[in-house]
Amino acid sequence: MARTFRNQVEEEILDRVAGEFAQHGFEHTSLKALADAVGLSKAGLLHHYPSKDALFQAARELGAVQSRRVLDQVAGLPLGVARDRRVLELLTDVALDRPGLVALLFRAVTAPEDPASHSDALLLPELFGVDLEARSERAIRVVGALSAMAVLTLAANRAGEKTTWRPHIIATCLDTLGHPRPLHDDQVEG
């Protein structure tokens, strides 16, 4: 039980520092700002991680672990609407639970000029079957869907409306990918 609590604390620390790195970039994020973000002194933060670089690497690794978990859960699904929906559901859940980690992972897409943001951790080619470098319509739609997810999950977290917003976030992302919405029992095709 103590190990689980410690893991939760570590993940919370890494999520918060990841948010700082995502917002300001590695070079412009001070150790004091990171400590303030997690509510610790610099010495207290350094007790958990020996340096800013170690914090950054640990946050990126936790993000990579989250992405691999999503990939493991969809690996058996063929590329297409059902897989996209499941990927979006899983990524939305991660984003609602760990917004800082997701923001750091998305920084590779939103701030490609920052060399510290480059990471294969988001696993976009594997998750969505898309090459972002190709600049295809599909690649643009994937970036748009993930951008919408990032903004909406952050807003849902700030509003304290994670559960209420979740289905709308997923629907918005699916719309962005160009997938039709399924009909509900109370809707009739028109």
Side-chain angles (χ1 to χ4, degrees), residues 23-38:
Q23 184 174 359
H24 305 291
F26 180 81
E27 293 297 324
H28 300 288
T29 303
S30 70
L31 196 53
K32 180 174 178 0
L34 295 173
D36 290 347
V38 299

Side-chain angles (χ1 to χ4, degrees), residues 92-165:
T92 298
D93 290 342
V94 173
L96 288 169
D97 193 40
R98 296 284 178 229
L101 288 175
V102 171
L104 184 60
L105 287 172
F106 288 168
R107 188 163 169 85
V109 174
T110 60
E113 72 285 350
D114 179 2
S117 72
H118 291 198
S119 171
D120 295 330
L122 193 50
L123 304 174
L124 291 176
E126 294 86 353
L127 289 171
F128 289 100
V130 65
D131 177 8
L132 292 180
E133 299 301 318
R135 304 287 188 239
S136 64
E137 178 183 348
R138 171 83 171 155
I140 293 166
R141 286 180 175 273
V142 167
V143 170
L146 294 175
S147 299
M149 178 189 296
V151 170
L152 292 170
T153 55
L154 288 172
N157 270 294
R158 286 193 180 108
E161 295 288 339
K162 295 192 290 189
T163 303
T164 305
W165 285 39

Side-chain angles (χ1 to χ4, degrees), residues 73-108:
Q73 292 182 49
V74 300
L77 296 174
L79 294 175
V81 178
R83 182 179 174 127
D84 284 352
R85 175 181 297 282
R86 189 65 184 138
V87 168
L88 291 170
E89 290 169 348
L90 294 168
L91 286 177
T92 298
D93 290 342
V94 173
L96 288 169
D97 193 40
R98 296 284 178 229
L101 288 175
V102 171
L104 184 60
L105 287 172
F106 288 168
R107 188 163 169 85

Side-chain angles (χ1 to χ4, degrees), residues 44-57:
L45 184 57
L46 290 171
H47 174 74
H48 291 274
Y49 296 92
S51 67
K52 181 173 99 168
D53 188 58
L55 276 163
F56 184 70
Q57 294 308 324

Side-chain angles (χ1 to χ4, degrees), residues 3-83:
R3 182 77 174 146
T4 301
F5 178 73
R6 181 175 176 180
N7 287 345
Q8 289 174 336
V9 169
E10 294 293 320
E11 283 189 21
E12 183 66 29
I13 288 171
L14 293 175
D15 182 55
R16 289 184 183 179
V17 300
E20 291 294 309
F21 285 129
Q23 184 174 359
H24 305 291
F26 180 81
E27 293 297 324
H28 300 288
T29 303
S30 70
L31 196 53
K32 180 174 178 0
L34 295 173
D36 290 347
V38 299
L40 295 172
S41 66
K42 282 178 18 178
L45 184 57
L46 290 171
H47 174 74
H48 291 274
Y49 296 92
S51 67
K52 181 173 99 168
D53 188 58
L55 276 163
F56 184 70
Q57 294 308 324
R60 286 177 59 162
E61 179 54 33
L62 182 56
V65 166
Q66 295 288 346
S67 293
R68 284 191 295 273
R69 283 183 188 151
V70 171
L71 182 59
D72 289 347
Q73 292 182 49
V74 300
L77 296 174
L79 294 175
V81 178
R83 182 179 174 127

